Every structure is written in structure tokens, then in C-alpha cells.
Coordinates of all heavy atoms in Angstrom, one line a residue:
M81 N -15.5 -7.0 4.4 CA -14.6 -7.1 5.6 C -13.8 -5.9 5.7 O -13.1 -5.4 4.8 CB -13.7 -8.3 5.4 CG -14.3 -9.7 5.5 SD -14.6 -10.1 7.2 CE -13.0 -10.6 7.8
A82 N -13.6 -5.5 7.0 CA -12.8 -4.4 7.2 C -11.4 -4.8 7.7 O -11.3 -5.8 8.5 CB -13.4 -3.5 8.2
C83 N -10.3 -4.1 7.3 CA -8.9 -4.4 7.7 C -8.8 -4.2 9.3 O -9.2 -3.2 9.8 CB -8.0 -3.5 7.0 SG -6.3 -3.8 7.6
K84 N -8.2 -5.2 9.9 CA -8.0 -5.2 11.4 C -6.5 -5.2 11.7 O -6.1 -5.4 12.8 CB -8.7 -6.2 12.1 CG -10.2 -6.1 11.9 CD -10.9 -6.9 13.1 CE -12.3 -6.5 13.3 NZ -13.1 -6.2 12.0
K85 N -5.7 -5.1 10.5 CA -4.1 -5.1 10.8 C -3.7 -3.9 11.6 O -4.4 -2.8 11.4 CB -3.5 -5.3 9.5 CG -3.9 -6.6 8.7 CD -2.8 -6.9 7.6 CE -3.3 -8.1 6.9 NZ -4.1 -7.9 5.8
D86 N -2.6 -4.1 12.1 CA -1.9 -2.9 12.9 C -1.0 -2.2 11.9 O 0.0 -2.7 11.5 CB -1.2 -3.5 14.0 CG -0.3 -2.4 14.8 OD1 -0.7 -1.2 14.5 OD2 0.6 -2.7 15.5
H87 N -1.5 -1.0 11.5 CA -0.6 -0.2 10.5 C 0.1 1.0 11.2 O 0.4 1.9 10.6 CB -1.6 0.2 9.4 CG -2.0 -0.8 8.5 ND1 -1.2 -1.8 7.9 CD2 -3.3 -1.1 8.2 CE1 -2.1 -2.6 7.1 NE2 -3.2 -2.2 7.3
S88 N 0.2 0.8 12.6 CA 0.7 2.0 13.2 C 2.2 2.4 12.8 O 2.5 3.6 12.8 CB 0.8 1.7 14.7 OG 1.4 0.6 15.0
R89 N 3.0 1.4 12.3 CA 4.3 1.7 11.9 C 4.4 2.7 10.7 O 5.4 3.3 10.6 CB 5.0 0.3 11.6 CG 6.4 0.3 11.4 CD 7.0 -1.0 11.0 NE 6.3 -1.6 9.8 CZ 6.9 -1.3 8.6 NH1 7.9 -0.6 8.4 NH2 6.2 -1.8 7.5
I90 N 3.4 2.7 9.9 CA 3.5 3.5 8.6 C 2.5 4.6 8.6 O 2.2 5.2 7.5 CB 3.2 2.5 7.4 CG1 2.0 1.8 7.5 CG2 4.4 1.6 7.2 CD1 1.6 1.1 6.3
Q91 N 2.0 5.1 9.7 CA 1.1 6.1 9.8 C 1.7 7.5 9.2 O 1.0 8.3 8.5 CB 0.6 6.4 11.2 CG -0.3 5.4 11.7 CD -1.6 5.1 10.8 OE1 -2.4 6.1 10.7 NE2 -1.7 4.0 10.1
T92 N 2.9 7.7 9.4 CA 3.5 9.0 8.9 C 3.6 9.0 7.3 O 3.5 9.9 6.7 CB 4.9 9.2 9.4 OG1 5.7 8.0 9.2 CG2 5.0 9.5 10.8
I93 N 3.7 7.7 6.7 CA 3.7 7.6 5.3 C 2.3 7.8 4.8 O 2.0 8.5 3.8 CB 4.2 6.2 4.9 CG1 5.7 6.1 5.4 CG2 4.1 6.0 3.4 CD1 6.3 4.7 5.3
M94 N 1.3 7.2 5.5 CA -0.1 7.4 5.0 C -0.5 8.8 5.0 O -1.3 9.2 4.2 CB -1.0 6.5 6.1 CG -0.9 5.0 5.9 SD -1.3 4.4 4.4 CE 0.3 3.9 3.7
A95 N 0.0 9.5 6.0 CA -0.4 10.9 6.2 C -0.1 11.8 4.9 O -0.8 12.8 4.7 CB 0.2 11.5 7.4
I96 N 1.0 11.5 4.1 CA 1.3 12.3 3.0 C 0.8 11.8 1.7 O 1.1 12.5 0.7 CB 2.9 12.4 2.9 CG1 3.5 11.0 2.7 CG2 3.5 13.0 4.2 CD1 5.0 11.1 2.4
L97 N 0.0 10.7 1.6 CA -0.5 10.3 0.3 C -1.7 11.0 0.0 O -2.4 11.6 0.7 CB -1.0 8.7 0.6 CG 0.2 7.8 0.8 CD1 -0.4 6.5 1.1 CD2 1.1 7.7 -0.4
P98 N -2.0 11.1 -1.4 CA -3.1 11.8 -1.9 C -4.4 11.1 -1.5 O -4.5 10.0 -1.4 CB -2.9 11.9 -3.4 CG -2.0 10.7 -3.7 CD -1.2 10.5 -2.5
I99 N -5.5 12.1 -1.5 CA -6.8 11.5 -1.1 C -7.5 11.0 -2.3 O -7.2 11.4 -3.4 CB -7.7 12.8 -0.7 CG1 -7.1 13.5 0.5 CG2 -9.2 12.4 -0.6 CD1 -7.4 12.7 1.8
D100 N -8.1 9.9 -2.1 CA -8.9 9.3 -3.2 C -10.3 8.8 -2.7 O -10.4 7.9 -1.9 CB -8.3 8.0 -3.8 CG -9.2 7.2 -4.8 OD1 -9.6 7.9 -5.7 OD2 -9.4 6.1 -4.5
Q101 N -11.3 9.6 -3.1 CA -12.6 9.2 -2.5 C -13.6 8.6 -3.5 O -14.5 7.9 -3.1 CB -13.3 10.6 -2.0 CG -12.7 11.2 -0.8 CD -13.6 11.5 0.2 OE1 -14.4 10.6 0.6 NE2 -13.6 12.7 0.7
G102 N -13.2 8.8 -4.8 CA -14.3 8.2 -5.8 C -13.6 7.4 -6.8 O -14.3 6.9 -7.7
G103 N -12.3 7.0 -6.7 CA -11.7 6.3 -7.7 C -11.9 4.7 -7.5 O -12.8 4.3 -6.8
K104 N -11.1 4.1 -8.4 CA -11.3 2.6 -8.3 C -10.9 2.0 -6.9 O -11.3 0.9 -6.6 CB -10.2 2.0 -9.3 CG -10.9 2.0 -10.7 CD -10.0 1.1 -11.5 CE -10.7 0.5 -12.7 NZ -9.8 -0.4 -13.5
G105 N -10.0 2.7 -6.2 CA -9.6 2.1 -5.0 C -10.5 2.5 -3.8 O -10.0 2.4 -2.6
R106 N -11.6 3.1 -4.0 CA -12.5 3.7 -3.0 C -12.7 2.8 -1.8 O -13.0 1.5 -1.9 CB -13.8 3.9 -3.7 CG -14.8 4.6 -2.7 CD -16.1 4.8 -3.5 NE -17.2 5.1 -2.7 CZ -17.6 6.2 -2.1 NH1 -17.0 7.2 -2.3 NH2 -18.6 6.3 -1.4
H107 N -12.3 3.3 -0.7 CA -12.5 2.5 0.7 C -11.6 1.4 0.9 O -11.6 0.7 1.8 CB -14.0 2.2 0.9 CG -14.8 3.3 1.1 ND1 -16.2 3.2 1.1 CD2 -14.7 4.6 1.2 CE1 -16.8 4.4 1.2 NE2 -15.9 5.3 1.2
K108 N -10.7 1.1 -0.1 CA -9.8 -0.1 0.2 C -8.7 0.4 1.1 O -8.3 1.6 1.2 CB -9.1 -0.5 -1.2 CG -10.1 -1.1 -2.2 CD -10.6 -2.3 -1.7 CE -11.4 -3.1 -2.8 NZ -11.9 -4.4 -2.4
C109 N -8.2 -0.5 1.8 CA -7.1 -0.2 2.8 C -5.8 0.2 2.1 O -5.1 -0.6 1.6 CB -6.9 -1.3 3.8 SG -5.7 -0.8 5.1
A110 N -5.4 1.4 2.1 CA -4.3 1.9 1.5 C -3.0 1.5 2.3 O -2.0 1.4 1.7 CB -4.3 3.5 1.5
A111 N -3.1 1.3 3.5 CA -2.0 0.7 4.3 C -1.6 -0.7 3.9 O -0.5 -0.9 3.8 CB -2.3 0.8 5.8
C112 N -2.6 -1.5 3.7 CA -2.4 -2.8 3.1 C -1.8 -2.8 1.7 O -0.9 -3.6 1.4 CB -3.7 -3.7 3.2 SG -4.2 -4.3 4.7
A113 N -2.2 -1.8 0.9 CA -1.7 -1.6 -0.4 C -0.1 -1.3 -0.3 O 0.7 -1.8 -1.0 CB -2.4 -0.5 -1.1
Y114 N 0.2 -0.5 0.7 CA 1.6 -0.1 0.9 C 2.4 -1.2 1.3 O 3.6 -1.6 0.7 CB 1.7 0.9 2.0 CG 3.1 1.3 2.3 CD1 3.7 2.3 1.6 CD2 3.9 0.6 3.3 CE1 5.1 2.7 1.9 CE2 5.2 0.9 3.5 CZ 5.8 1.9 2.9 OH 7.1 2.2 3.1
E115 N 1.9 -2.1 2.2 CA 2.6 -3.3 2.7 C 2.8 -4.3 1.5 O 4.0 -4.8 1.3 CB 1.9 -4.0 3.8 CG 1.5 -3.2 5.0 CD 2.6 -3.0 6.0 OE1 3.8 -3.3 5.6 OE2 2.3 -2.6 7.1
L116 N 1.9 -4.4 0.6 CA 2.0 -5.3 -0.5 C 3.0 -4.8 -1.6 O 3.8 -5.5 -2.1 CB 0.7 -5.6 -1.2 CG -0.3 -6.4 -0.4 CD1 -1.7 -6.4 -1.0 CD2 0.1 -7.9 -0.3
G117 N 2.9 -3.4 -1.7 CA 3.9 -2.8 -2.7 C 5.3 -2.9 -2.0 O 6.3 -3.2 -2.9
F118 N 5.5 -2.8 -0.9 CA 6.8 -2.9 -0.2 C 7.4 -4.3 -0.5 O 8.5 -4.5 -0.8 CB 6.8 -2.6 1.3 CG 8.1 -2.5 1.9 CD1 8.7 -1.2 2.1 CD2 8.7 -3.6 2.4 CE1 9.9 -1.1 2.7 CE2 10.0 -3.5 2.9 CZ 10.6 -2.2 3.1
E119 N 6.5 -5.3 -0.1 CA 7.0 -6.7 -0.3 C 7.4 -7.0 -1.8 O 8.4 -7.5 -2.0 CB 5.7 -7.6 0.1 CG 6.1 -9.0 0.3 CD 4.9 -9.8 0.6 OE1 4.1 -9.4 1.6 OE2 4.7 -10.8 0.0
A120 N 6.6 -6.4 -2.7 CA 6.9 -6.6 -4.1 C 8.2 -6.0 -4.5 O 9.0 -6.4 -5.2 CB 5.7 -6.1 -5.0
G121 N 8.4 -4.7 -4.0 CA 9.5 -3.9 -4.4 C 10.8 -4.5 -3.7 O 11.9 -4.4 -4.5
S122 N 10.7 -5.0 -2.5 CA 11.8 -5.6 -1.9 C 12.4 -6.8 -2.5 O 13.4 -7.3 -2.3 CB 11.7 -5.7 -0.4 OG 10.7 -6.8 -0.2
Q123 N 11.4 -7.4 -3.3 CA 11.8 -8.6 -4.1 C 12.1 -8.3 -5.5 O 12.3 -9.2 -6.4 CB 10.7 -9.7 -4.1 CG 10.4 -10.2 -2.6 CD 9.0 -10.9 -2.5 OE1 8.4 -11.2 -3.6 NE2 8.6 -11.2 -1.3
L124 N 12.1 -7.0 -5.9 CA 12.2 -6.5 -7.2 C 11.3 -7.2 -8.2 O 11.6 -7.6 -9.4 CB 13.7 -6.7 -7.8 CG 14.8 -6.0 -7.0 CD1 16.1 -6.1 -7.7 CD2 14.4 -4.5 -6.8
K125 N 10.0 -7.5 -7.6 CA 9.0 -8.2 -8.4 C 8.7 -7.4 -9.7 O 8.5 -6.2 -9.7 CB 7.8 -8.4 -7.6 CG 6.8 -9.5 -8.1 CD 5.8 -9.7 -7.1 CE 4.6 -10.4 -7.8 NZ 3.4 -10.4 -7.0
E126 N 8.6 -8.1 -10.8 CA 8.4 -7.3 -12.1 C 7.0 -7.6 -12.7 O 6.5 -6.8 -13.6 CB 9.5 -7.7 -13.2 CG 10.9 -7.1 -12.7 CD 12.1 -7.8 -13.2 OE1 11.9 -8.9 -13.7 OE2 13.2 -7.4 -12.9
K127 N 6.4 -8.6 -12.4 CA 5.0 -8.9 -12.9 C 4.0 -8.4 -11.9 O 3.9 -9.1 -10.8 CB 4.8 -10.3 -13.2 CG 5.4 -10.7 -14.5 CD 4.7 -11.9 -15.2 CE 4.8 -12.0 -16.5 NZ 5.7 -13.0 -17.2
I128 N 3.4 -7.3 -12.1 CA 2.6 -6.8 -11.1 C 1.1 -6.6 -11.7 O 1.1 -5.9 -12.8 CB 3.0 -5.5 -10.5 CG1 4.3 -5.7 -9.6 CG2 2.0 -4.8 -9.7 CD1 5.1 -4.6 -9.4
D129 N 0.1 -7.1 -11.2 CA -1.2 -6.9 -11.6 C -2.0 -6.1 -10.5 O -2.5 -6.6 -9.6 CB -1.9 -8.3 -11.8 CG -3.4 -8.2 -12.3 OD1 -3.9 -7.1 -12.2 OD2 -3.9 -9.1 -12.9
L130 N -1.9 -4.7 -10.8 CA -2.4 -3.8 -9.7 C -3.9 -4.0 -9.6 O -4.4 -3.8 -8.5 CB -2.0 -2.5 -10.1 CG -2.2 -1.4 -9.0 CD1 -1.5 -1.8 -7.7 CD2 -1.8 0.0 -9.5
E131 N -4.6 -4.3 -10.6 CA -6.0 -4.5 -10.6 C -6.4 -5.6 -9.6 O -7.2 -5.6 -8.7 CB -6.6 -4.8 -11.8 CG -8.1 -4.9 -11.8 CD -8.8 -5.0 -13.3 OE1 -8.2 -5.5 -14.1 OE2 -9.9 -4.5 -13.4
Q132 N -5.6 -6.8 -9.6 CA -5.8 -7.9 -8.8 C -5.4 -7.6 -7.4 O -6.1 -7.9 -6.4 CB -4.9 -9.2 -9.2 CG -5.2 -10.4 -8.6 CD -4.2 -11.4 -8.8 OE1 -3.0 -11.2 -9.0 NE2 -4.7 -12.6 -9.0
V133 N -4.4 -6.8 -7.2 CA -3.9 -6.3 -5.9 C -5.0 -5.6 -5.3 O -5.5 -5.8 -4.1 CB -2.6 -5.5 -5.9 CG1 -2.3 -4.8 -4.6 CG2 -1.4 -6.3 -6.4
L134 N -5.6 -4.5 -6.0 CA -6.6 -3.7 -5.4 C -7.9 -4.5 -5.1 O -8.6 -4.3 -3.9 CB -7.0 -2.6 -6.4 CG -5.9 -1.5 -6.6 CD1 -6.4 -0.5 -7.6 CD2 -5.4 -0.9 -5.3
N135 N -8.2 -5.4 -5.9 CA -9.4 -6.3 -5.7 C -9.2 -7.2 -4.4 O -10.2 -7.5 -3.7 CB -9.7 -7.1 -6.8 CG -10.3 -6.4 -8.0 OD1 -10.9 -5.3 -7.8 ND2 -10.2 -6.9 -9.2
S136 N -8.0 -7.5 -4.0 CA -7.7 -8.4 -3.0 C -7.7 -7.7 -1.6 O -7.7 -8.3 -0.6 CB -6.3 -9.1 -3.2 OG -5.3 -8.1 -2.8
L137 N -7.8 -6.2 -1.7 CA -7.7 -5.5 -0.4 C -9.0 -5.5 0.3 O -10.0 -5.5 -0.3 CB -7.2 -4.1 -0.7 CG -5.9 -3.9 -1.4 CD1 -5.7 -2.4 -1.7 CD2 -4.7 -4.3 -0.4
E138 N -8.8 -5.5 1.6 CA -10.0 -5.3 2.5 C -10.3 -3.8 2.6 O -9.4 -2.9 2.2 CB -9.8 -5.9 3.9 CG -9.5 -7.4 3.8 CD -9.7 -8.0 5.2 OE1 -10.7 -7.9 5.7 OE2 -8.7 -8.7 5.5
E139 N -11.5 -3.5 3.0 CA -11.7 -2.0 3.2 C -11.2 -1.4 4.5 O -11.1 -2.1 5.5 CB -13.3 -1.8 3.1 CG -13.9 -2.4 1.9 CD -15.2 -1.9 1.5 OE1 -16.0 -1.4 2.4 OE2 -15.5 -1.9 0.3
S140 N -11.0 -0.1 4.5 CA -10.7 0.5 5.7 C -11.1 2.0 5.7 O -11.1 2.7 4.8 CB -9.1 0.4 5.9 OG -8.8 1.2 7.1
Q141 N -11.6 2.4 6.9 CA -12.0 3.7 7.1 C -11.2 4.3 8.3 O -11.7 5.3 8.9 CB -13.5 3.9 7.4 CG -14.3 3.4 6.2 CD -14.5 4.5 5.2 OE1 -14.1 5.7 5.4 NE2 -15.0 4.2 4.0
A142 N -10.1 3.7 8.5 CA -9.4 3.9 9.8 C -8.2 4.8 9.7 O -7.6 4.9 8.6 CB -9.0 2.6 10.5
K143 N -7.9 5.6 10.7 CA -6.6 6.3 10.8 C -6.2 7.1 9.5 O -7.1 7.6 8.8 CB -5.5 5.4 11.4 CG -5.9 4.8 12.6 CD -4.7 4.0 13.2 CE -5.1 3.4 14.7 NZ -4.2 2.4 15.1
E144 N -4.9 7.2 9.4 CA -4.4 8.0 8.3 C -4.7 7.4 6.8 O -4.6 8.1 5.9 CB -2.9 8.2 8.4 CG -2.5 9.0 9.6 CD -2.9 10.5 9.5 OE1 -3.4 10.9 8.4 OE2 -2.7 11.2 10.5
Q145 N -4.8 6.0 6.8 CA -5.1 5.4 5.5 C -6.5 5.7 5.0 O -6.8 5.4 3.9 CB -4.8 4.0 5.6 CG -5.6 3.1 6.6 CD -4.7 3.1 7.9 OE1 -3.9 3.9 8.2 NE2 -4.9 1.9 8.6
R146 N -7.4 6.3 5.8 CA -8.7 6.6 5.4 C -8.8 7.5 4.2 O -8.1 8.6 4.2 CB -9.4 7.3 6.6 CG -10.8 7.8 6.3 CD -11.3 8.5 7.6 NE -12.6 9.3 7.3 CZ -13.7 8.8 7.3 NH1 -14.0 7.5 7.7 NH2 -14.8 9.6 7.1
H147 N -9.4 7.0 3.1 CA -9.7 7.7 1.9 C -8.4 8.1 1.2 O -8.3 8.9 0.2 CB -10.4 9.1 2.1 CG -11.8 8.8 2.6 ND1 -12.6 9.8 3.2 CD2 -12.6 7.8 2.5 CE1 -13.8 9.3 3.4 NE2 -13.8 8.1 3.2
K148 N -7.3 7.3 1.5 CA -6.0 7.6 0.8 C -5.9 6.7 -0.5 O -6.6 5.6 -0.5 CB -4.8 7.4 1.6 CG -4.7 8.4 2.8 CD -4.7 9.9 2.2 CE -4.7 10.9 3.2 NZ -3.5 11.0 3.9
S149 N -5.3 7.2 -1.5 CA -5.2 6.5 -2.8 C -4.3 5.2 -2.6 O -3.2 5.2 -2.3 CB -4.5 7.4 -3.8 OG -4.1 6.6 -4.9
P150 N -5.1 4.0 -2.8 CA -4.2 2.8 -2.8 C -3.2 2.7 -3.9 O -2.3 1.9 -3.8 CB -5.4 1.7 -2.9 CG -6.5 2.3 -3.4 CD -6.4 3.7 -3.1
H151 N -3.6 3.4 -5.0 CA -2.5 3.3 -6.2 C -1.3 4.0 -5.8 O -0.2 3.5 -5.9 CB -3.1 4.1 -7.3 CG -4.4 3.5 -8.0 ND1 -5.6 3.6 -7.4 CD2 -4.5 2.7 -9.0 CE1 -6.5 2.9 -8.2 NE2 -5.8 2.3 -9.1
A152 N -1.4 5.3 -5.2 CA -0.2 5.9 -4.7 C 0.5 5.2 -3.6 O 1.6 5.1 -3.5 CB -0.6 7.3 -4.2
S153 N -0.4 4.6 -2.7 CA 0.2 3.8 -1.6 C 1.0 2.7 -2.0 O 2.1 2.4 -1.5 CB -1.0 3.5 -0.6 OG -0.5 3.0 0.7
Y154 N 0.5 1.9 -3.0 CA 1.2 0.8 -3.5 C 2.5 1.2 -4.2 O 3.6 0.6 -3.9 CB 0.5 0.0 -4.5 CG 1.0 -1.4 -5.0 CD1 0.7 -2.5 -4.3 CD2 1.8 -1.4 -6.0 CE1 1.3 -3.8 -4.7 CE2 2.4 -2.6 -6.4 CZ 2.1 -3.7 -5.7 OH 2.7 -4.9 -6.1
A155 N 2.4 2.3 -4.9 CA 3.6 2.7 -5.7 C 4.7 3.2 -4.6 O 5.9 2.9 -4.8 CB 3.2 3.8 -6.6
Q156 N 4.2 3.9 -3.6 CA 5.2 4.4 -2.6 C 5.8 3.2 -1.8 O 7.0 3.2 -1.5 CB 4.4 5.3 -1.5 CG 5.3 5.9 -0.5 CD 6.3 6.9 -1.1 OE1 5.9 7.8 -1.8 NE2 7.6 6.7 -0.9
G157 N 5.0 2.1 -1.6 CA 5.5 1.0 -0.9 C 6.5 0.3 -1.8 O 7.6 -0.2 -1.4
Y158 N 6.1 0.3 -3.1 CA 7.1 -0.4 -4.1 C 8.5 0.2 -4.1 O 9.5 -0.4 -3.9 CB 6.5 -0.4 -5.5 CG 7.3 -1.3 -6.4 CD1 6.9 -2.7 -6.5 CD2 8.4 -0.8 -7.2 CE1 7.7 -3.5 -7.4 CE2 9.1 -1.6 -8.0 CZ 8.8 -3.0 -8.2 OH 9.5 -3.8 -8.9
I159 N 8.5 1.6 -4.2 CA 9.8 2.3 -4.2 C 10.5 2.1 -3.0 O 11.7 1.9 -2.9 CB 9.6 3.8 -4.7 CG1 11.0 4.4 -4.9 CG2 8.8 4.6 -3.7 CD1 12.0 3.8 -5.9
D160 N 9.9 2.2 -1.9 CA 10.4 2.1 -0.6 C 11.0 0.6 -0.3 O 12.1 0.5 0.2 CB 9.4 2.2 0.6 CG 9.1 3.8 0.8 OD1 9.8 4.6 0.1 OD2 8.2 4.1 1.6
G161 N 10.3 -0.4 -1.0 CA 10.8 -1.8 -0.9 C 12.1 -1.9 -1.8 O 13.0 -2.6 -1.4
V162 N 12.0 -1.3 -3.0 CA 13.2 -1.3 -3.8 C 14.4 -0.7 -3.2 O 15.5 -1.3 -3.1 CB 12.9 -0.6 -5.2 CG1 14.2 -0.4 -5.9 CG2 12.0 -1.4 -6.0
N163 N 14.2 0.5 -2.5 CA 15.3 1.1 -1.8 C 15.8 0.3 -0.7 O 17.0 0.2 -0.4 CB 14.9 2.5 -1.3 CG 14.7 3.5 -2.4 OD1 15.5 3.4 -3.4 ND2 13.8 4.4 -2.4
Y164 N 14.9 -0.5 0.1 CA 15.3 -1.4 1.0 C 16.1 -2.5 0.5 O 17.1 -2.8 1.1 CB 14.0 -2.0 1.7 CG 14.3 -3.0 2.8 CD1 14.9 -2.7 4.0 CD2 14.0 -4.4 2.5 CE1 15.2 -3.6 5.0 CE2 14.3 -5.3 3.5 CZ 14.9 -5.0 4.6 OH 15.1 -5.8 5.7
F165 N 15.7 -3.0 -0.6 CA 16.5 -4.0 -1.3 C 17.9 -3.6 -1.5 O 19.0 -4.3 -1.1 CB 15.9 -4.4 -2.6 CG 16.7 -5.4 -3.4 CD1 16.6 -6.8 -3.2 CD2 17.6 -5.0 -4.4 CE1 17.4 -7.6 -4.0 CE2 18.4 -5.8 -5.1 CZ 18.3 -7.1 -5.0
Y166 N 18.1 -2.3 -2.0 CA 19.5 -1.9 -2.3 C 20.3 -1.5 -1.1 O 21.5 -1.5 -1.1 CB 19.5 -0.8 -3.3 CG 19.1 -1.2 -4.8 CD1 17.9 -0.9 -5.4 CD2 20.0 -2.1 -5.4 CE1 17.5 -1.4 -6.6 CE2 19.6 -2.6 -6.7 CZ 18.5 -2.2 -7.3 OH 18.2 -2.8 -8.5
S167 N 19.5 -1.1 -0.1 CA 20.3 -0.7 1.2 C 20.8 -1.9 1.9 O 21.8 -1.7 2.7 CB 19.2 -0.1 2.1 OG 18.4 -1.1 2.8
K168 N 20.4 -3.1 1.5 CA 21.1 -4.3 2.0 C 22.2 -4.9 1.3 O 22.9 -5.8 1.6 CB 19.9 -5.4 2.1 CG 18.8 -5.2 3.1 CD 18.0 -6.3 3.3 CE 17.4 -6.8 1.9 NZ 16.5 -8.1 2.0
Q169 N 22.5 -4.2 0.1 CA 23.7 -4.7 -0.7 C 25.0 -4.4 -0.1 O 25.2 -3.5 0.5 CB 23.5 -3.9 -2.1 CG 22.2 -4.1 -2.9 CD 22.1 -5.5 -3.5 OE1 23.0 -5.9 -4.4 NE2 21.2 -6.3 -3.0
Ligands
ZN251 ZN1 -5.0 -2.7 6.1

């Protein structure tokens, strides 16, 4: 299944992530990884199973998230989510 979500809001973030063409996250939607990371970070979630997260992702060859590292994307989303959490304090 290919991701059909609208990731237009985070294209500038996707653009700066490292390329991953042959790793474990190959062809997985890095933008979805970012959204999940952000959600986890904004809740200060501490139990994270990244392997399960990556396995749950749909594939994507679209836009800036094409061939981007879902590991880096999840981590970027997580820190952005944590910063969002503290910005609301
Ligand atoms: Zn997606």
C-alpha cells in the first residue's frame, strides 16, 4: 500500500533529512514516520519500538519524503514533538 496522506505541511522538514535507499526503512513513508515521532514526542512517550513503527509504515515514493531515512525522520519528529510539549508549558 502506498501512503496517500497529505504531507504538504512538513515538506521543508522532509527536504533536509538524509537519504536512505538501501536500509531497513527502504521505501517506507518518512513523512508518516515524522508524524508518528511527533505524536510520541509531544506525549513524552518513553517506550518506543522503532522496529514496530517502521513495519507499520506504508510505502511512499512521493515528494520530499522520497528515499528519505524514516529513522532520521522519526527522530526529528520526536524532538520537534518534545519541543512542542515544552512550548505549551
Ligand atoms: Zn505518509
Side-chain angles (χ1 to χ4, degrees):
M81 285 286 285
C83 174
K84 292 197 167 34
K85 295 195 183 85
D86 176 15
H87 294 303
S88 54
R89 192 180 60 84
I90 55 171
Q91 288 302 295
T92 51
I93 298 165
M94 291 299 107
I96 59 167
L97 293 173
I99 299 282
D100 171 56
Q101 291 228 55
K104 277 190 148 185
R106 184 178 158 84
H107 293 171
K108 294 293 190 176
C109 182
C112 281
Y114 177 89
E115 304 279 14
L116 290 171
F118 188 95
E119 195 180 308
S122 65
Q123 296 166 11
L124 302 187
K125 195 173 165 193
E126 286 153 359
K127 279 207 160 104
I128 291 165
D129 185 341
L130 193 54
E131 187 174 29
Q132 188 190 38
V133 169
L134 295 180
N135 285 337
S136 77
L137 295 174
E138 298 195 59
E139 301 200 339
S140 177
Q141 295 281 347
K143 299 187 176 167
E144 294 290 355
Q145 55 268 28
R146 177 179 164 88
H147 292 162
K148 292 303 172 74
S149 164
H151 296 79
S153 193
Y154 187 90
Q156 185 66 55
Y158 190 90
I159 186 60
D160 288 350
V162 170
N163 285 329
Y164 175 72
F165 173 85
Y166 288 113
S167 75
K168 293 189 304 176
Q169 301 286 295

